Amino acid sequence: MTELTNTTAVIVTYNRSAKLMKVLDALERQSVPLEMILVVDNASTDDTRTLVEARAMEMPNIRYLRLPKNIGGAGGFHEGIKEAYAQGARYIWVSDDDAYPEPDAIGKLLAASAEFEQRHRWRPSFACSRVEWTDGSLCEMNTPRPVWDWPRFLRPEKAWALVDSCSFVSVLIPRWAVKEHGLPISDYFIWFDDAEYTRRLSRSYPGIFCPESRVIHDTPDNRGVNFGLITHKSLWKFKYGARNETSFRRREQGLAGVLIFAHGVYRQMKQGGVSWKLRWQIFGAILRGLVFRPKIEHV
Amino acid sequence: MHVTSALSADASPEAPDRLHAEISDVIDIYRLLYPSQHLHFLFYEGDDPVWGKPRIIEGELTLTPEHLRPEYLGRLECPGTDETAAVVTILISVPRAPLPNEIKQQDPDWVPFKGLRALFGLCPICYEEIRYKVEMARKRRMKQRHSHVSLPLGKGSRLLPQPQEPASDKRPAILIGAHWLEIGGAEKLALDSVKWAVEAGLRVFVVAGVASLQRLATKLPDSSDVTFIRLDRYLPRDRWPRYVENLVLAENIRLIHIHHCHALYDTLPQIRAKAPWVKVIDSTHIIEHNDGGYPRISLVWSNYVDIHHVISRRLIDYHRDNAGRLSKVVLGRMLEHRNRDVSLPPIAMQTGQKTLDVCFIGRLYYQKRPIVLVEILRALVAWAQKADVELRGTIVGEGPFQSAMTRLMQHYGLGDMFTMQPADCDIPAILDGSDILLLPSNNEGLALVCYEAIEHGCIPISTDIGAQGEIVPADLLLPLAPRAAVRASVDIVDRLWRDKDFLARQKDALHRAWSELAAEPTARDVLTAHYRAATETSPKQ
């Protein structure tokens, strides 16, 4: 168990200044002090810079990292975690610019990590919150993936399930895990960067899902990640998702893993009644994923 | 001792106890090493569960950002005897708590060499054979890189002042140095030595030469006379000589007993020059590597050592053949007194019996040839089917080969016939229930488990290596080459099972070998005599 707990929050933002301000409000109210709040701006074109600069006058722990161009959420988290690590953070709390942590959300993640390690001697590679949508229901897209023995240490009073994957919405990553496993893959641009990264971290030991730590994810609607939901408008994101997961499966599971994934995508699209025109584009992304082998950068 | 604290850690509620205990150990070590100096400690949180990465600067340190890196825990200052005391700066990491998997197994799971993985998948014994041949070729090619010549020891002139024993009101003490406190033969003797020294009335200081989790530290006697000093974790090797000198003088240490503890050999010049009254005993077990391993090191330091305690005749021969040394080499077998009075039970195995129980007891490291063992079991299963014998077995041990062995046994369909047991299981019961103990090995001193097997009516079959020939009859010894060892194992078992005369001869030979060994002095006899003698010596008051 680490005796040092200085924590940096990393928020990646792009053209959502109003929601970002609400996130900073929520971070200001946290029950544990944050050494640094690092706002990674993916070259927003709205008033994000002005508002963050003004806010930093009131909150001296805010640091603003403006990227020269939009390199996607994956690139933003890559840069943010890299900077937080370089600045000596012992824990890095990572989240989106539209997710509002409850005042004790980060404190509870820290406490859960420390207590889990104290009780069970294992070091969780990350700790993630329960992510709720604005109406209090579970946020579909932020559902962590449990491991086979997820209830191993789950107790009525400490309901920590073991998980090997979660989204970049309120996840606490210890420094040692970044040192050991490197940074998120920047080249993914968007989608599956969080799943790939947390699965990579959990090679050491799974993460823990801490339902007592809650955040509200203020998304327009509460939809899961399902290839049956592809529309013309969301196609670009799904193409990144298909390419990135194919690349991951190829790396981790070989061609058989890719085939299983492709079959699952096909079934979801068929069940969702996705048009063949869109389906072919997703299959094209899967083919591109077969030869897409981005490098993992280490700190 | 006055300690001014500037620790600035954001400690979690449970952290301080462990942190303070470790820091207290560090301060004790450095206070003894530098009794009068002003000590300035900089502590860091380590990411290593065993090694504190100490760095010593004899003087003031100008701090740079590197010194205040994220792992920085804080500073401590321990004033010297007066204000003009020289400053010593010590930078040290407090190792993190070990993880459960690290506690369970010290080394990562074994995997075959990268280029030969496919071969291992297809034919594990071919893989072993290649590895063996490469090893043998390397051995033949390698020159003897290390010297076997004993280092000369200058005794000095009487015209110059001789070191004087300081007065001490403390009871005599012994310093026992182990290689490490992990499972092993030398380590068992080190732990036994601690017990015997306490029984003899000595205070005991224990150190380990190799940094590790020291899992067997919990087996040290629970006595106020026993102190385990974590030099392995917190003191650089080059500072051991001065530390040991100070410890000897401060604690009235009369004896130093080395059990494969490399770092303690390095302290001997300091001891011989500054505390020549201290008697040095060196125990060695196994001739290893190409040029002897610890017995060779012992031989090199022989002029600094008073008594070479060895556990086998082969080691006596080694000293004789390499240094012509006979007088101070003493044999003390690793047998307990109780063994002498044991009337050996009859060996259980009978020719033509319908069931045959075999076992293996040992650490699952390459030394014990675990893959060859699985191949032997597979060959024995084939033999048993032909001979219409029900074969069963138990494999006792833990180590990096466990996963590979389990997978291979499943692959060969042996999983139902052989059970795997942890190292802390009831070994006498397993030996009682077994007809044959299989012990393939790459390197061995004199395996204790072979003694125990005979005491429990079990026949040991072992590789002809080290001093195994002193306990295992020639007809039950296996060649070192993997394939040949597999073939020979089956041949021996088959002959034991079919040939009544052969079986009877082996039973007699085993009992005879055991009795001959049991009649010889034990390590306990030999060592306790020296320990008792040390309690009767005392410095001038």
Side-chain angles (χ1 to χ4, degrees):
Chain A
M1 178 177 50
T2 178
E3 275 83 29
L4 303 171
T5 57
N6 79 66
T7 305
T8 288
V10 173
I11 306 294
V12 177
T13 189
Y14 180 66
N15 285 349
R16 275 201 290 229
S17 61
K19 287 184 177 177
L20 175 65
M21 290 306 115
K22 288 174 75 175
V23 172
L24 293 180
D25 289 342
L27 291 178
E28 195 173 17
R29 287 195 294 268
Q30 287 303 302
S31 57
V32 289
L34 295 169
E35 187 81 7
M36 189 165 86
I37 298 170
L38 181 61
V39 178
V40 183
D41 184 355
N42 249 325
S44 296
T45 51
D46 63 357
D47 57 352
T48 296
R49 177 193 289 195
T50 314
L51 291 178
V52 173
E53 281 175 359
R55 194 61 184 266
M57 297 297 111
E58 301 156 22
M59 292 172 66
N61 57 348
I62 289 181
R63 284 274 307 275
Y64 180 60
L65 178 64
R66 185 174 169 84
L67 302 174
K69 62 172 185 173
N70 182 2
I71 54 173
F77 286 117
H78 173 98
E79 292 298 328
I81 293 173
K82 188 176 177 179
E83 178 65 12
Y85 184 90
Q87 291 300 316
R90 303 293 297 176
Y91 284 99
I92 303 168
W93 181 79
V94 174
S95 196
D96 263 347
D97 58 357
D98 56 353
Y100 318 128
E102 293 288 301
D104 56 1
I106 299 177
K108 284 189 167 163
L109 290 179
L110 280 165
S113 281
E115 195 177 333
F116 186 92
E117 206 172 322
Q118 179 71 25
R119 280 183 174 211
H120 308 302
R121 296 278 159 209
W122 291 105
R123 294 191 296 184
S125 56
F126 59 88
C128 59
S129 303
R130 175 183 161 86
V131 185
E132 295 177 357
W133 197 52
T134 48
D135 65 355
S137 61
L138 180 77
C139 196
E140 302 287 343
M141 69 163 73
N142 305 118
T143 309
R145 191 176 83 157
V147 297
W148 69 272
D149 57 345
W150 59 270
R152 185 173 295 278
F153 301 114
L154 194 145
R155 303 283 182 276
E157 70 286 0
K158 302 285 178 195
W160 302 320
L162 297 177
V163 294
D164 69 358
S165 164
C166 72
S167 66
F168 279 157
V169 175
S170 191
V171 54
L172 185 78
I173 302 167
R175 182 181 183 81
W176 66 262
V178 180
K179 187 179 177 187
E180 209 161 301
H181 298 288
L183 297 165
I185 296 174
S186 180
D187 291 342
Y188 275 4
F189 192 77
I190 199 164
W191 272 31
F192 207 70
D193 50 329
D194 42 13
E196 186 280 335
Y197 188 57
T198 45
R199 283 186 210 183
R200 189 162 15 119
L201 298 186
S202 61
R203 283 178 192 162
S204 294
Y205 193 73
I208 50 171
F209 171 63
C210 311
E212 70 274 28
S213 166
R214 292 171 53 243
V215 292
I216 312 301
H217 202 180
D218 186 6
T219 53
D221 46 32
N222 190 11
R223 286 176 159 200
V225 178
N226 185 315
F227 283 85
L229 301 173
I230 299 173
T231 61
H232 281 281
K233 198 177 159 194
S234 63
L235 176 66
W236 70 278
K237 270 192 185 182
F238 278 97
K239 280 163 70 177
Y240 276 113
R243 182 199 66 171
N244 294 344
E245 186 159 354
T246 302
S247 167
F248 168 78
R249 297 246 187 176
R250 172 83 202 257
R251 187 186 84 201
E252 297 291 319
Q253 302 163 349
L255 279 175
V258 174
L259 287 173
I260 292 166
F261 171 64
H263 179 66
V265 170
Y266 167 74
R267 280 182 54 191
Q268 285 181 4
M269 291 194 293
K270 190 180 172 192
Q271 282 166 3
V274 175
S275 71
W276 272 104
K277 194 179 165 191
L278 298 184
R279 286 192 210 181
W280 281 120
Q281 297 214 42
I282 295 296
F283 290 138
I286 289 174
L287 285 176
R288 280 195 298 283
L290 279 172
V291 290
F292 177 53
R293 296 187 185 182
K295 266 181 68 179
I296 292 171
E297 190 180 324
H298 287 266
V299 287
Chain B
M1 179 174 54
H2 174 66
V3 176
T4 55
S5 172
L7 266 181
S8 57
D10 305 324
S12 54
E14 299 80 7
D17 287 348
R18 184 178 159 274
L19 185 65
H20 285 138
E22 296 290 331
I23 286 173
S24 173
D25 283 354
V26 171
I27 293 171
D28 288 348
I29 289 170
Y30 284 91
R31 186 36 78 205
L32 187 71
L33 180 61
Y34 298 106
S36 61
Q37 285 90 329
H38 181 98
L39 302 180
H40 180 191
F41 292 97
L42 275 84
F43 285 103
Y44 298 89
E45 192 177 75
D47 194 32
D48 183 329
V50 298
W51 175 229
K53 299 177 186 159
R55 201 179 134 217
I56 302 170
I57 295 140
E58 294 189 348
E60 284 279 11
L61 173 71
T62 304
L63 296 176
T64 65
E66 166 58 20
H67 298 123
L68 301 183
R69 58 185 181 270
E71 292 76 23
Y72 174 67
L73 278 170
R75 296 189 305 113
L76 275 180
E77 297 211 17
C78 303
T81 45
D82 60 62
E83 285 184 359
T84 60
V87 174
V88 178
T89 309
I90 300 118
L91 296 95
I92 207 156
S93 296
V94 177
R96 65 169 168 78
L99 303 174
N101 56 333
E102 291 167 338
I103 293 169
K104 187 177 171 213
Q105 188 174 308
Q106 188 176 6
D107 299 304
D109 277 351
W110 173 83
V111 287
F113 293 111
K114 207 171 180 182
L116 295 175
R117 275 182 202 163
L119 175 69
F120 181 79
L122 288 169
C123 177
I125 194 71
C126 302
Y127 174 92
E128 283 290 309
E129 195 70 28
I130 288 174
R131 185 169 177 174
Y132 163 76
K133 288 204 160 99
V134 169
E135 262 176 32
M136 293 302 114
R138 196 178 290 152
K139 269 193 173 180
R140 281 193 298 272
R141 273 202 310 272
M142 262 176 76
K143 291 178 182 167
Q144 294 212 331
R145 284 186 304 175
H146 298 112
S147 169
H148 282 68
V149 178
S150 298
L151 292 165
L153 171 62
K155 294 281 168 64
S157 163
R158 288 190 180 179
L159 294 174
L160 291 171
Q162 299 299 305
Q164 298 297 315
E165 286 187 55
S168 176
D169 55 1
K170 292 184 174 169
R171 270 198 296 130
I174 181 172
L175 173 62
I176 294 181
H179 178 73
W180 58 14
L181 296 182
E182 304 286 346
I183 291 172
E187 291 71 18
K188 184 188 180 306
L189 182 60
L191 285 170
D192 284 344
S193 300
V194 174
K195 193 173 72 184
W196 300 333
V198 172
E199 286 168 6
L202 290 167
R203 294 181 304 124
V204 185
F205 294 89
V206 182
V207 291
V210 174
S212 83
L213 294 182
Q214 317 293 5
R215 292 167 182 80
L216 295 186
T218 53
K219 305 275 185 197
L220 288 168
D222 184 16
S223 160
S224 58
D225 281 343
V226 179
T227 309
F228 179 33
I229 309 172
R230 297 307 304 269
L231 302 189
D232 62 297
R233 178 175 265 194
Y234 291 125
L235 192 67
R237 277 280 289 274
D238 61 349
R239 307 301 162 117
W240 276 55
R242 280 161 62 187
Y243 179 88
V244 170
E245 176 201 342
N246 290 358
L247 184 72
V248 162
L249 299 178
E251 296 293 345
N252 188 22
I253 287 177
R254 319 296 304 173
L255 267 177
I256 292 179
H257 191 166
I258 305 174
H259 294 268
H260 292 188
C261 181
H262 203 293
L264 267 192
Y265 289 111
D266 296 341
T267 69
L268 296 181
Q270 200 88 3
I271 296 303
R272 281 293 165 250
K274 297 193 172 181
W277 57 88
V278 174
K279 188 189 273 185
V280 177
I281 305 174
D282 184 26
S283 288
T284 46
H285 292 244
I286 177 169
I287 299 165
E288 55 190 343
H289 307 303
N290 228 7
D291 52 7
Y294 278 105
R296 182 200 68 80
I297 296 168
S298 177
L299 202 127
V300 167
W301 285 100
S302 191
N303 288 319
Y304 291 75
V305 171
D306 295 297
I307 294 140
H308 289 290
H309 162 237
V310 296
I311 64 156
S312 67
R313 294 213 168 270
R314 182 151 191 257
L315 282 163
I316 294 178
D317 297 346
Y318 181 83
H319 277 273
R320 182 198 60 212
D321 298 345
N322 288 285
R325 199 172 299 282
L326 295 167
S327 62
K328 58 184 181 183
V329 182
V330 292
L331 175 68
R333 298 279 186 187
M334 284 178 68
L335 281 169
E336 288 286 332
H337 279 303
R338 62 174 173 78
N339 298 120
R340 286 180 177 162
D341 306 324
V342 167
S343 59
L344 288 174
I347 285 174
M349 188 175 173
Q350 300 298 327
T351 49
Q353 65 185 49
K354 282 293 164 195
T355 58
L356 192 66
D357 289 278
V358 297
C359 67
F360 165 88
I361 295 162
R363 299 166 74 215
L364 300 180
Y365 278 72
Y366 179 70
Q367 184 206 351
K368 300 290 183 193
R369 310 289 281 270
I371 302 301
V372 174
L373 172 70
V374 177
E375 294 292 337
I376 290 174
L377 295 179
R378 185 192 189 196
L380 284 178
V381 167
W383 165 84
Q385 280 169 352
K386 278 186 204 161
D388 193 23
V389 172
E390 186 191 345
L391 186 71
R392 298 176 300 216
T394 309
I395 296 167
V396 178
E398 288 159 6
F401 274 77
Q402 192 167 348
S403 304
M405 279 182 78
T406 308
R407 279 195 301 275
L408 195 55
M409 286 171 66
Q410 290 295 345
H411 179 66
Y412 288 157
L414 308 178
D416 292 339
M417 278 169 263
F418 301 97
T419 54
M420 306 279 287
Q421 296 279 348
D424 59 357
C425 66
D426 186 354
I427 288 172
I430 288 169
L431 288 171
D432 278 335
S434 300
D435 300 300
I436 289 170
L437 167 79
L438 294 166
L439 195 71
S441 179
N442 198 36
N443 195 17
E444 209 64 59
L446 207 166
L448 280 177
V449 71
C450 293
Y451 287 119
E452 292 175 38
I454 300 167
E455 284 172 13
H456 291 270
C458 177
I459 298 174
I461 298 178
S462 163
T463 306
D464 186 8
I465 193 88
Q468 286 297 89
E470 292 179 29
I471 184 73
V472 180
D475 287 335
L476 302 181
L477 289 170
L478 304 173
L480 192 56
R483 272 184 200 282
V486 174
R487 278 195 299 269
S489 301
V490 177
D491 291 346
I492 291 170
V493 172
D494 182 60
R495 201 165 169 203
L496 287 170
W497 186 76
R498 288 182 196 281
D499 186 340
K500 208 169 182 176
D501 291 341
F502 179 74
L503 178 61
R505 278 203 308 279
Q506 302 318 314
K507 287 179 179 180
D508 288 346
L510 284 167
H511 280 186
R512 202 166 45 246
W514 188 95
S515 302
E516 281 170 11
L517 295 180
E520 290 181 323
T522 66
R524 185 179 192 143
D525 298 333
V526 169
L527 296 173
T528 302
H530 292 290
Y531 295 168
R532 291 229 169 89
T535 59
E536 286 152 19
T537 59
S538 60
K540 294 160 194 156
Q541 295 289 321

